[in-house]
Amino acid sequence: MKNQWTNYYTGYVKVKAYGKGAERLINMLTRRGLHIWEVKRVGSEALIFHMDIRDIPKLRQVMRKSDCKVKFMQGKGFPFLMKRVMKNSGFLAGMIAFLLCIFVLSNMVWGIEVQDAKPATEHAIRKELDKMGVKIGKVQFFVDDVDTIQRKLSDRIGALTWVGVELKGTTYHFRVVEKRQPKEVEKTSPQNLVASKKAIIADMFVEKGQSIVNVNDYVGKGQLLVSGLIGKEDKQEIVSAKGVIKGKTWYKAKVEVPLKTKFSVFNGDETSKHFLKMGGFSLPVWGFKDPGYEKQEKETTVRPFHFLQWELPISYKQVTLRSKEDIVRSYTEKEAVEEGRKMAKAELNKHLDEEDEIIEEKILHESMENGKVKLSIHYQVIEDIAIGQPIIQGD
């Protein structure tokens, strides 16, 4: 028997044959190979049956040789459905426009909430979001993904220790942890000031306590600098020693700089491909051409479509291809030495405070081995060497 689903897509009709030759008509149609089904008798001289819409011309040929008449009662299947739809095209267009409008509105940004932020920090966040295009009324597909937004906010706003970004439906939620500058706690317990490392005293400012050393004195690690015991021996008072003791300290750094270094950089060329993603299948919709980059880096972004509060099983997928090229950076021996000095100094500055100062730099040893310049550099630094040491009363 012919597949009824095929009949539905091609279309079929319900026919009533009446007259004395109704049975003979059915037999003639069958002998011609026409597909007829659900034949039912209605009354004494009438039959009802179904047939493919494509066989109607053959039915008319047979009708001329028959004594009965036929009447088309009802058309069924996809062609007749489309015909009815076209008759109501205004209603259909309105329904499609309504669904499309709901779909677009469901994928727009309608809310931005910032939690746990001070007013000034919240204002700064909203200002940066506006620059990035994250604003109410913007379609989500034209906005950076949450990871990119989080990274940009962390880089651009210094007051943030951490910011969490979450997209729920049509609202972006930002949870903020601000940097808290700890207040300097005033030390009330008795203490001495001792040297944190070996140094030559370069400058002293004693706010409270009794100075034990003088400028140009050499001190070792742990040596007493400022005592918390003041006054005469018969009448001493214990205080919390305070002050800034600047000392000349020494550091040694070793660094290697290759004369030739190969690395990859982006050259600015990039191409985006756009897909509709359904499960594990991606249907390309734009950007079909292969850019033909010799070396490239691929970045994939997937954003699900929403309809009201539901997430649809179809997503928008964007693949960005960025062209890369290899570059060989070459130094002369003199340039390598200068670059090594810069690298060593930058590394040393990471371990120093802003108030510390490098006053002398001297290359102790320089050599060339296996295409690399090797340096041993000596530094003199002026820094605060004083640290507190509690005074335990009763000792």
Side-chain angles (χ1 to χ4, degrees), residues 10-11 13 26 36 54 91 137 217-218 266 271 276-277 290 295 312 365 394:
T10 57
V13 291
I26 298 296
I36 296 173
R54 295 172 297 181
F91 174 78
D217 285 353
Y218 174 83
F266 294 114
T271 300
L276 287 178
K277 186 174 183 295
D290 185 356
K295 293 188 65 177
L312 302 179
H365 180 72

Side-chain angles (χ1 to χ4, degrees), residues 191-235:
Q191 69 169 8
N192 296 322
L193 294 182
V194 298
S196 61
K197 59 186 68 178
K198 294 186 294 184
I200 295 176
I201 304 300
D203 189 25
M204 299 179 62
F205 172 72
V206 179
E207 181 180 347
K208 188 181 292 186
Q210 182 176 349
S211 175
I212 304 299
V213 296
N214 298 307
V215 175
N216 295 325
D217 285 353
Y218 174 83
V219 297
K221 182 177 181 181
Q223 184 174 334
L224 182 62
L225 302 177
V226 179
S227 174
L229 298 176
I230 59 174
K232 297 180 180 181
E233 291 185 4
D234 57 345
K235 193 178 180 180

